Amino acid sequence: MINYEKRLKNMGKQVMIVDDSRVMELQMEAMLKDTDYEIAAYCRNGNDAILRYDEVHPDIVTMDILMPGMDGLEAAQAILDKHPEANIVMVSSLAYDDTMEEAKAIGAKAFIFKPFDQEQILAAFEKTLGETAE
Amino acid sequence: MDHILSQEKISKIYEQSTREVTERTSGIRLSQGIATLRKEVCTVYTNFGQNVHSGIALCAETELFTRLTKQMMRVEEVDFQDIEDFVKEYFNVLCGHIAVALFRDTKTAVRFEIPTFYRGQFRPENQSESWTLHFISDQDEIADLIHYKAIDKADNSNTPPQTAEH
């Protein structure tokens, strides 16, 4: 059964994707097609993400960890320092306990492991926005 | 890493991770087997950083990397840039899984660098081939997963040259 209340709440939510690989861009495009989320911006590195966040003010940011230059944890920290309300979902294949703890301590709302599927990413988004709404 | 775990244990982690990640990302099934690379190949490589001083390369027939890219993109046609981008991302995920599996046994957090992609075979500087796992795909394409370890400084004169274009 479709949860219309939830759909209405998430309708047209803006997602900013931060990942140095265009693979993520293409995969997210496919996974978010025909959902209640739309891609508002792509950023190739942490510095770009910090700048673009101010312009876009997305509802959700997906943040890769391993990127050239500033990594995803540093970028998430910088965004959350300035925008404590930011909803950041860390996305990585490097699922160490200490990395996840660090992400949580910074204030990231969720952690998704690569490779992931549509169901997993949508569940992470719903969890993240659900926590914000509470 | 080589000092903490046996080659047998590390190679088992490599083998399981490679099969699982390849099937999950592309649906391609790999199995171990004795085979020699026969056709045009490409190599994707990364260096395990910090105190580990070893590297890992996947050298595969270009046909296998092409099919993997098509499967990941879900399209019929891909160009070489697509192959490079998707293989690097696939290898990034594979190395993440290997690193986490190694951590479970060693409690040593292994970090790795952003993968680099080469046409042809590639041999890293200051590292020597330690051992190789041979894989055959469900369509008879061949891939070698090669574990490199640091060459002792005294033995640097034997450093093999890089043989491929980045």
Side-chain angles (χ1 to χ4, degrees), chain A residues 112-125:
Chain A
I112 292 279
F113 308 120
K114 294 180 183 179
F116 56 83
D117 57 27
Q118 186 190 41
E119 196 178 326
Q120 289 168 313
I121 195 77
L122 293 180
F125 285 179

Side-chain angles (χ1 to χ4, degrees), chain A residues 22 68 93-96 114-115, chain B residues 24 82 85 89 92 97 99 110:
Chain A
R22 76 181 179 99
S93 59
L94 206 55
Y96 289 135
K114 294 180 183 179
Chain B
R24 281 186 64 195
D82 294 329
D85 291 346
E89 178 64 11
N92 185 42
H97 281 246
V110 177

Side-chain angles (χ1 to χ4, degrees), chain B residues 28-45:
Chain B
I28 294 173
R29 286 197 301 275
L30 296 177
S31 54
Q32 269 196 280
I34 305 297
T36 309
L37 294 162
R38 299 160 298 194
K39 300 174 184 170
E40 180 194 328
V41 297
C42 294
T43 308
V44 60
Y45 168 82

Side-chain angles (χ1 to χ4, degrees), chain B residues 124-137:
Chain B
E125 285 184 30
N126 302 321
Q127 291 181 345
S128 64
E129 190 171 324
S130 181
W131 42 265
T132 300
L133 295 177
H134 303 284
F135 291 98
I136 304 174
S137 78

Side-chain angles (χ1 to χ4, degrees), chain A residues 47-84:
Chain A
N47 289 315
D48 191 22
I50 294 165
L51 294 174
R52 295 298 304 280
Y53 191 94
D54 287 338
E55 295 168 22
V56 177
H57 284 284
D59 297 292
I60 294 180
V61 177
T62 67
M63 181 77 76
D64 186 25
I65 291 182
L66 188 69
M67 292 186 288
M70 181 185 283
D71 73 27
L73 290 169
E74 288 176 86
Q77 176 79 74
I79 289 172
L80 285 161
D81 283 347
K82 196 170 174 187
H83 304 279

Side-chain angles (χ1 to χ4, degrees), chain B residues 69-86:
Chain B
T69 304
K70 286 179 181 175
Q71 300 277 80
M72 286 176 74
M73 290 181 75
R74 296 175 190 182
V75 296
E76 292 298 316
E77 294 294 326
V78 294
D79 61 27
F80 209 82
Q81 190 60 53
D82 294 329
I83 295 169
E84 175 171 343
D85 291 346
F86 274 77

